[in-house]
Amino acid sequence: MATRATDVGTNQSVERAVSVLRALDSGRPELRVSDVAELTGLGSSTTSRLLSTLERLDMVERDPVSNLYRLSLGLLPLAATAANRHPVHRASRMVLQGLATRTGLGANAAVRRDSELMFLCNFEGTRAPKSYTQAGHTAPLHATSIGKCLLTGLTSKERRKLLGDPLAAHTEYTTTSHDHLDTEIETVRRTGYAVEAEERALGRASLAAPVRDASGDIVAAISLWGPTSVLGDRSDAEAQRLALVREVIEAADAISQALGAL
């Protein structure tokens, strides 16, 4: 059936509105109309009209003094509902809260969204540096332990197609070679966990374990993160790190069981 011109116009309007919302989630707390236009590639008049419409719908709000735009709390009920209804979020929330309390480290759950990972929940520990990770934030798969666990469900060929070549470097320690990543993935499959040290941010490290559903597929992963002195491969506190490995694997197993895994 042929697509009507009105359908095309309506779809385009929705796509443009979503691009405006995503621009306001670009990292800066507030933006001018011209900033949003630049980020979206839309004209200033089109951007202004979209922002006005989204403001009426309580999706964005404008500061009465600076006239800068930001995302509105009107989005929060939708986002909270989406997160709370996700089975991994429901299964992992209490487990991760307990894990962060026991270890004093940060605890995360994430799923793969195409070529990135998306965090579903995050709990801070007393021994972990302040985290800027929030539910909904994304991160690279190849430069995080939680991402490497998520990649174990793919073949080497699928990973190359998904991530491209070369792999992006975030620090001098980031894995940028697919051959090296292949070796790391095989280690994760053999041991049941992944370790990452300063690949995404200097001074920080993490370890993670995969989460499976009733079919046995890897649908998510959880991680502990904190200082490299505690979690990194180069850590002198080997016994302490191995104890934390057991903690994260047992937590991942508990979440998997809640999802129906045997």
Side-chain angles (χ1 to χ4, degrees):
M1 183 176 65
T3 302
R4 294 179 300 174
T6 52
D7 293 336
V8 174
T10 301
N11 292 340
Q12 189 178 62
S13 296
V14 172
E15 291 171 354
R16 287 175 171 177
V18 171
S19 72
V20 168
L21 292 174
R22 287 176 173 165
L24 290 169
D25 188 37
S26 61
R28 293 160 60 183
E30 297 179 325
L31 296 174
R32 299 171 297 181
V33 173
S34 59
D35 296 327
V36 178
E38 182 179 353
L39 288 168
T40 59
L42 299 172
S44 294
S45 59
T46 299
T47 302
S48 182
R49 287 196 302 271
L50 287 168
L51 285 167
S52 295
T53 300
L54 291 168
E55 185 178 10
R56 288 197 302 273
L57 296 172
D58 197 23
M59 299 290 102
V60 305
E61 60 187 20
R62 180 171 42 175
D63 187 279
V65 177
S66 67
N67 279 327
L68 298 179
Y69 284 92
R70 57 180 173 254
L71 294 174
S72 169
L73 289 177
L75 289 167
L76 190 56
L78 296 175
T81 298
N84 290 331
R85 289 180 178 175
H86 195 285
V88 172
H89 184 276
R90 292 200 307 269
S92 63
R93 186 170 50 201
M94 295 301 294
V95 174
L96 292 181
Q97 188 172 17
L99 187 61
T101 300
R102 287 194 307 275
T103 64
L105 299 169
N108 300 315
V111 295
R112 183 169 71 86
R113 300 276 289 180
D114 194 27
S115 61
E116 295 181 307
L117 66 85
M118 177 177 287
F119 292 104
L120 292 182
C121 51
N122 169 262
F123 294 94
E124 294 185 359
T126 56
R127 291 196 294 168
K130 181 175 176 58
S131 172
Y132 295 97
T133 297
Q134 299 176 9
H137 281 189
T138 59
L141 291 163
H142 69 282
T144 56
S145 62
I146 200 167
K148 289 170 185 177
C149 286
L150 293 169
L151 287 171
T152 58
L154 303 178
T155 65
S156 176
K157 183 178 180 180
E158 288 171 335
R159 288 194 296 272
R160 282 165 166 76
K161 182 178 180 180
L162 178 69
L163 302 177
D165 196 10
L167 299 169
H170 298 272
T171 73
E172 61 183 301
Y173 301 110
T174 305
T175 296
T176 56
S177 160
H178 272 287
D179 289 340
H180 188 188
L181 181 61
D182 289 344
T183 300
E184 290 184 294
I185 296 299
E186 286 305 313
T187 300
V188 176
R189 288 173 175 159
R190 186 179 70 254
T191 63
Y193 70 95
V195 178
E196 165 269 320
E198 299 186 291
E199 290 195 47
R200 187 181 175 209
L202 295 177
R204 288 173 52 175
S206 63
L207 58 89
V211 171
R212 299 178 185 273
D213 64 5
S215 66
D217 293 332
I218 295 174
V219 294
I222 65 168
S223 69
L224 281 173
W225 65 271
T228 52
S229 58
V230 177
L231 288 170
D233 272 333
R234 294 179 295 278
S235 170
D236 295 330
E238 183 69 13
Q240 176 177 301
R241 187 168 67 85
L242 290 177
L244 293 171
V245 167
R246 287 192 294 272
E247 286 269 12
V248 77
I249 290 177
E250 289 174 1
D253 287 345
I255 296 168
S256 297
Q257 290 173 15
L259 294 174
L262 298 177

